[in-house]
Amino acid sequence: MKKLIAITLCSFVSAAAFAALPPLTPEAQEAATLAKAKAAYGDRVGAFKLCQAQNKVADQFRVSGTPAPAACVAPPPFIAPVAAAPATK
């Protein structure tokens, strides 16, 4: 009896896990695209700041006569992605 209940419960859980979500509305898709772009830009800014911090520490411990660390490239200002134009027939 316990096995039957466990199998039934597992089948309901797996059916719920494989249920398909409805497609996103265009507004939600645009918001998701903007959030993804902002996150990617934040990652680039973070990498730039990390590069600057690493160069500062490397300069403190650099022995004279050795080359300076590579210069950090600043990310360009954030530009929101352009929404795709609706397809016309």
Side-chain angles (χ1 to χ4, degrees):
M1 183 67 178
K2 289 182 181 180
K3 288 183 181 181
L4 181 63
I5 292 172
I7 291 172
T8 305
L9 181 63
C10 287
S11 65
F12 284 129
V13 170
S14 65
F18 289 114
L21 295 174
L24 292 176
T25 62
E27 295 84 13
Q29 182 68 31
E30 187 175 323
T33 303
L34 180 63
K36 186 186 291 186
K38 284 183 179 180
Y41 181 73
D43 290 344
R44 283 184 277 170
V45 169
F48 173 67
K49 289 182 180 181
L50 176 65
C51 179
Q52 286 180 326
Q54 288 174 338
N55 283 353
K56 184 177 178 181
V57 171
D59 284 338
Q60 291 176 354
F61 292 101
R62 187 167 53 103
V63 177
S64 62
T66 58
C72 301
V73 179
F78 178 72
I79 299 173
V82 178
T88 57
K89 290 184 181 182

